[in-house]
Amino acid sequence: MANIASAQKRIRQTATRTARNKARKSRVHGAIRKVEEAVAAGNKEVALAAFRAAQPELQRAAGKGVLKANTVSRKISRLSAQVKAVSAA
């Protein structure tokens, strides 16, 4: 355990930030899962609504530095293609 006050504060800050980032990542994974489940079920309307809800969640994660921008871009692109495939079918 750290003995210096500034080091103790950094430990507290890191714990807070870690919890916040973990929650953000969890929201992102949940949003992606909802889209993929709707696509698997073949439900076009639900898939589109879930995708529209997932997109800002992913962008927010990139903006906060939880996920890299290219990763988010790739995930959105792949989800969009899946939703389009359901719409076309």
Side-chain angles (χ1 to χ4, degrees):
M1 187 67 199
N3 291 325
I4 298 169
S6 60
Q8 290 172 340
K9 181 177 178 180
R10 292 305 287 164
I11 289 169
R12 288 194 309 270
Q13 288 175 330
T14 301
T16 304
R17 201 172 299 116
T18 301
R20 193 178 299 134
N21 289 342
K22 199 171 182 182
R24 281 195 181 111
K25 242 183 193 176
S26 181
R27 275 200 308 271
V28 166
H29 290 311
I32 290 171
R33 184 177 42 74
K34 284 179 186 172
V35 175
E36 289 173 344
E37 284 174 355
V39 166
N43 196 332
K44 181 172 77 170
E45 292 80 17
V46 174
L48 194 58
F51 177 68
R52 285 192 179 136
Q55 204 170 358
E57 205 63 63
L58 281 156
Q59 292 291 355
R60 197 171 301 118
K64 300 293 183 181
V66 176
L67 296 173
K68 290 187 175 179
N70 286 353
T71 302
V72 168
S73 180
R74 182 180 70 243
K75 286 182 185 293
I76 288 174
S77 176
R78 288 179 182 175
L79 285 174
S80 175
Q82 288 176 0
V83 170
K84 252 183 216 172
V86 169
S87 298

